[in-house]
Amino acid sequence: MATSSFMHTALQRGELAGIYDKVMEGKRLSFDDGLALWKSDDLTAIGALANIVREAKNGNDTYYVRNQHINYTNLCNKGCKFCSFYAQKDGPSAYTMSMEQVREKLERTRHLPVTEIHMVAGINKKLPYSYYLELLDTVKTTRPEAHIKAFTMVELLHIQTLAQKPMTEMLLELKAHGLCSLPGGGAEILTDRVHDAIFPRKETAAEWLETAKTAHRAGLHTNATMLYGHIETLEERVIHTMKLREAQDETGGFLTFIPLAFSSKGTKLSHIPSTTGYLDLKAVAIGRLMLDNFPHIKAFWMMITPPVAQTAQWYGADDIDGTIVEYVITHEIDDENEEQNLSQRQLVQMIVEAGRDPVERDPLYNIIERTDSRTLLEQPHRLALPMLS
C-alpha cells in the first residue's frame, strides 16, 4: 500500500518539501536535513517520507526471524550509567554460564526450528580466551543448523586482549569455531561527549567503528544500533547516523539499523523518563531516511512494545525482529509476567495485522518463507504454529 497521492501533495507543500524533493530524486540527506527532521513536529510527514524509502527498498515485506538469545554472563567491568543488566549492588545477581548451562538452554528449544542464536553479555575479566571458543563450539555442536550471531564490538575488543592476536586473525579464528555474524550493540551514541559522560570505560566511537569495519573486511556482516532517549542532543543523533553511513560507504557490511529505546529503570539515569511512542517512531523513520545505504531498519518489539513495532512498519521499518527466547538486557514489555518471547504465530499475526506481508528470514536476510498476508488470513490454520512453553 504505497503513500497516497494526497500525502505526496501535502509533502510537496509542507515544511519538509525540500527533503521530499531529495527523497523523490534519490539524493542523500545532509546533516541539516537530519536536524530539520528531528526538530520537526510533523511525525505524519516524517513517517510518510520514510515509508516512501521503505517501500522502494523492501516493498510490502516485513521480515522476522526465529531466534534465541543467550546472555552468558552479567559480570561487567564497564559500569555504564545507562545499563540495568550487569551485576551490581541492589541489582541483578552475578552469574556466568557454564557450557552445561548453555547446552541446557539450547536443548529447551530443540523442538523449535530456531534459525539464529544471538549471544551478547558483559565484560567478565576472569574469563579466558578459551571460554569464548568453547562457547561457540558448544552452540555449534548443540544446534549445528543455527546461525551464531555473537559479540558486540566492545566484547570483541576485550576478547582480543585475551587472545593477544591481531583483530582480523582473532575474528577468523572465531569464525572457524562457528561465529557467523555480529550484532550491532554497544554503539550507543557515537560522540565523545556522550561517551565520556555515561560510558567512559567502554570503547570510543572511533574504536567501535573501526572494529565493525574490520569485522566487515573479515567477511562478517554486522548490525548497527543507536541508543536514544537519554542525554544525547538532536545534533548528536544526526552525527551518529552520519558516522554509520560513512562506515557503510566504506565497507558495505552493515545489514540492519536498530534504534534502541533507552529504559532508565534500574540504571544510574533512573530520573530520565521512558521514551514515548512518538519518539520511537521518529527514531525509526529518521534512521530510514538518513541511512540510505542500509538495506534494512528494525523495529525491536521487545524494547518499544509490539503495537509500536507494528506501527513502525509504516514509518520506515521493514523488520520486527524475532521470537527472542529469554531476553534479559531490558524488561520493558511486561514487568509482572516477565514475558520474554513471542511465537512464530504471534509474530506473523502482528505483521498481518499491520497490513504487511510476513517474510521469515535467516540472519543474513536470505528468505526462508514468503507468504502473502491475504493467504494467511484466508487460511487461519497456517497460523497454528508451535508456541514456546
Side-chain angles (χ1 to χ4, degrees), residues 124-141:
N124 183 347
K125 60 184 180 182
K126 294 183 179 180
L127 296 177
Y129 180 52
S130 59
Y131 177 93
Y132 298 93
L133 299 180
E134 191 177 358
L135 179 64
L136 292 169
D137 290 341
T138 299
V139 176
K140 194 64 179 175
T141 56

Side-chain angles (χ1 to χ4, degrees), residues 88-366:
Q88 55 184 305
K89 184 179 179 181
D90 300 323
S93 300
Y95 75 87
T96 297
M97 295 172 65
S98 67
M99 295 306 112
E100 290 72 21
Q101 290 171 318
V102 172
R103 193 174 293 109
E104 180 183 348
K105 283 190 177 291
L106 294 169
E107 291 288 355
R108 277 190 57 226
T109 61
R110 182 168 288 282
H111 63 294
L112 297 173
V114 171
T115 307
E116 171 190 296
I117 305 299
H118 185 291
M119 295 194 297
V120 296
I123 304 302
N124 183 347
K125 60 184 180 182
K126 294 183 179 180
L127 296 177
Y129 180 52
S130 59
Y131 177 93
Y132 298 93
L133 299 180
E134 191 177 358
L135 179 64
L136 292 169
D137 290 341
T138 299
V139 176
K140 194 64 179 175
T141 56
T142 308
R143 294 300 298 257
E145 75 288 357
H147 174 114
I148 302 175
K149 178 189 290 183
F151 311 136
T152 62
M153 306 311 156
V154 67
E155 287 172 273
L156 287 181
L157 288 165
H158 171 68
I159 296 170
Q160 184 191 13
T161 65
L162 302 174
Q164 296 184 330
K165 298 177 180 181
M167 179 63 74
T168 298
E169 182 180 340
M170 183 200 72
L171 287 169
L172 293 175
E173 185 167 17
L174 295 178
K175 285 179 67 176
H177 284 261
L179 181 65
C180 300
S181 68
L182 306 173
E188 322 314 354
I189 292 290
L190 295 170
T191 68
D192 291 339
R193 185 194 73 86
V194 175
H195 172 272
D196 295 345
I198 63 174
F199 53 100
R201 297 178 191 171
K202 282 179 71 171
E203 81 291 344
T204 64
E207 289 170 331
W208 191 96
L209 289 164
E210 187 55 39
T211 304
K213 289 188 290 185
T214 301
H216 298 165
R217 296 186 189 105
L220 290 162
H221 285 287
T222 76
N223 292 333
T225 59
M226 179 180 76
L227 184 69
Y228 64 92
H230 44 91
I231 69 164
E232 83 284 0
T233 64
L234 301 184
E235 289 83 358
E236 286 170 325
R237 292 174 187 169
V238 181
I239 290 169
H240 182 97
T241 52
M242 293 190 73
K243 286 183 177 181
L244 291 177
R245 193 170 71 184
E246 290 167 6
Q248 181 75 332
D249 280 343
E250 187 175 335
T251 67
F254 291 117
L255 287 173
T256 312
F257 174 64
I258 313 164
L260 299 177
F262 174 58
S263 175
S264 66
K265 183 178 179 181
T267 75
K268 296 175 182 177
L269 301 174
S270 58
H271 60 285
I272 297 177
S274 297
T275 64
T276 62
Y278 173 92
L279 179 56
D280 297 335
L281 292 174
K282 204 170 185 182
V284 168
I286 297 174
R288 177 65 287 169
L289 289 164
M290 293 299 295
L291 296 171
D292 54 77
N293 53 5
F294 273 59
H296 304 284
I297 306 292
K298 182 184 294 185
F300 190 21
W301 68 261
M302 177 60 74
M303 297 188 83
I304 62 176
T305 75
V308 175
Q310 285 178 299
T311 307
Q313 302 308 308
W314 293 92
Y315 284 74
D318 63 281
D319 192 300
I320 208 162
D321 201 74
T323 46
I324 309 178
V325 183
E326 295 183 287
Y327 182 76
V328 295
I329 302 299
T330 62
H331 297 277
E332 190 66 23
I333 297 301
D334 189 336
D335 288 336
E336 292 184 4
N337 297 320
E338 294 289 317
E339 183 176 344
Q340 296 295 315
N341 62 72
L342 291 175
S343 67
Q344 186 200 25
R345 176 180 62 81
Q346 290 169 311
L347 283 169
V348 167
Q349 193 135 17
M350 281 170 57
I351 295 167
V352 172
E353 287 175 355
R356 295 300 193 183
D357 294 325
V359 179
E360 183 181 356
R361 62 169 175 85
D362 71 9
L364 299 179
Y365 286 84
N366 298 306

Side-chain angles (χ1 to χ4, degrees), residues 57-71:
K57 286 182 176 289
N58 294 294
N60 203 54
D61 293 342
T62 287
Y63 295 91
Y64 71 94
V65 64
R66 289 197 260 196
N67 57 359
Q68 179 175 2
H69 283 230
I70 292 178
N71 306 109

